[in-house]
Amino acid sequence: SWICFSEKELKIIGELANKYDVIVVEDLAYICMDFRKDYSKPGEPPFQPTVAKYTDNYLLLISSSKVFSYAGQRIGMMVVSDKLFNRKYPDLKRYYASDQFGHSMIYGALYALSAGVCHSSQWGLAAILKEANDGNYHFIEEVKEYGEKARIMKEMFLKNGFTIVYDKDEGEPIADGFYFTIAYPGFLGNELLEELLYYGISAITLDITGSDRHEGLRAGI
Ligand SMILES: Cc1ncc(COP(=O)(O)O)c(C=O)c1O
C-alpha cells in the first residue's frame, strides 16, 4: 500500500513488544525508499524509522532486491539484536539442538528452510554495502526513478477519476514509491482488475493482500 509507519507508531509497537515480551518481525523490504527523506547516508541522520529503535526484540528482514537492485541473486539480510540472538528459550530444545535463539534461527530454521545463498552473491552484497559505507556508492540515486514514475502514474489515475485507497501516513500524504493503491467509483477490486487488463494494466486486488478494502487494487511501478 506504500503507507509507512511513523516513529510514533513504531514506538507503540516497540513498547508493546517490551511489555508483553514478544518478538517483532519487521519486513524492511523497502528500506530507504521513502524518498521524502534521504535515509541513505550510512551513519548520518535522518535514519530509517524502525521498531529496532524502541525494542531489542526485533528481527529485521532487509531485501537486496529493491534499494540495492540486486534481485536475481536471491539474497537478503536478517538482522537480530545481540540481546535477542543470545537469549535462551528452553522450549527451543524440543525442536532444535540449542536453546539459543540465534543458533536455532540459523541452523534450525533458515538452513533447513532455504536453499542457502552462493558465496559469489554474498561477496557481491558485502561489496555493495562496503561501497555504500565508504561513501562511494550512492544507491538511492539509482532507484529514485521509481518515486518519480509513481508520482506521474498517480497523477494520471487521479486525473481520470480514480482515487487512492490508502492515501495517508497518519495525517501526511503517502510517499511516492514502488506501489500505490487505487479504486474507481462503482467497481469492486476484481471488476476493476478485469477492466484494466483490457488496457494492458496489470495489478492485484487488495482482497488477496489481507486488506478489508474490497474496492481497491495495488498498482506496481
Ligand atoms: C513487502 C515485501 N516484502 C518482501 C519482499 C521480498 O523481497 P525479495 O525479492 O528480497 O525476496 C517483497 C518483494 O516484492 C515485498 O514487496
Side-chain angles (χ1 to χ4, degrees):
S1 66
W2 211 259
I3 56 161
C4 299
F5 282 135
S6 65
E7 290 287 353
K8 186 176 141 202
E9 290 165 322
L10 289 163
K11 185 164 184 273
I12 293 170
I13 296 170
E15 285 170 358
L16 287 172
N18 291 337
K19 182 171 174 191
Y20 295 102
D21 195 22
V22 290
I23 298 168
V24 181
V25 180
E26 184 173 353
D27 186 15
L28 265 182
Y30 296 93
I31 188 166
C32 299
M33 291 180 74
D34 177 349
F35 303 117
R36 290 171 294 190
K37 298 218 173 89
D38 183 1
Y39 297 128
S40 70
K41 304 244 163 53
E44 272 180 41
F47 298 113
Q48 168 68 46
T50 166
V51 77
K53 190 171 164 189
Y54 302 105
T55 179
D56 284 323
N57 283 350
Y58 65 79
L59 203 154
L60 311 181
L61 305 176
I62 302 181
S63 172
S64 67
S65 71
K66 314 294 191 295
V67 78
F68 299 122
S69 308
Y70 203 53
Q73 290 76 7
R74 307 311 301 146
I75 182 170
M77 291 169 278
M78 187 176 77
V79 181
V80 183
S81 70
D82 286 344
K83 198 166 161 195
L84 178 59
F85 192 96
N86 291 311
R87 191 162 157 193
K88 290 185 169 23
Y89 292 88
D91 224 28
L92 286 173
K93 279 247 170 133
R94 284 169 57 198
Y95 305 99
Y96 307 115
S98 164
D99 55 359
Q100 190 207 41
F101 180 85
H103 188 280
S104 301
M105 179 52 91
I106 294 170
Y107 296 103
L110 282 188
Y111 180 69
L113 291 174
S114 77
V117 178
C118 67
H119 273 180
S120 51
S121 301
Q122 295 187 41
W123 279 97
L125 182 57
I128 292 173
L129 297 177
K130 181 166 191 323
E131 288 302 291
N133 275 294
D134 290 349
N136 301 325
Y137 176 46
H138 305 289
F139 56 90
I140 215 73
E141 298 306 321
E142 315 259 336
V143 291
K144 262 190 179 159
E145 181 68 17
Y146 291 110
E148 186 51 20
K149 284 186 177 154
R151 190 188 63 73
I152 296 167
M153 273 173 68
K154 265 192 220 162
E155 211 173 272
M156 283 159 62
F157 279 110
L158 289 173
K159 254 194 212 155
N160 287 284
F162 286 78
T163 54
I164 304 293
V165 182
Y166 292 104
D167 61 346
K168 297 254 164 57
D169 290 337
E170 282 197 279
E172 204 186 333
I174 53 159
D176 294 320
F178 250 44
Y179 297 116
F180 54 91
T181 52
I182 47 172
Y184 193 82
F187 282 81
L188 284 174
N190 53 351
E191 295 163 348
L192 185 56
L193 175 61
E194 187 187 346
E195 200 63 29
L196 287 176
L197 279 176
Y198 294 121
Y199 295 87
I201 297 173
S202 143
I204 59 169
T205 62
L206 290 184
D207 271 338
I208 66 158
T209 66
S211 167
D212 52 13
R213 297 292 294 266
H214 305 297
E215 80 280 29
L217 296 179
R218 187 181 78 160
I221 314 300

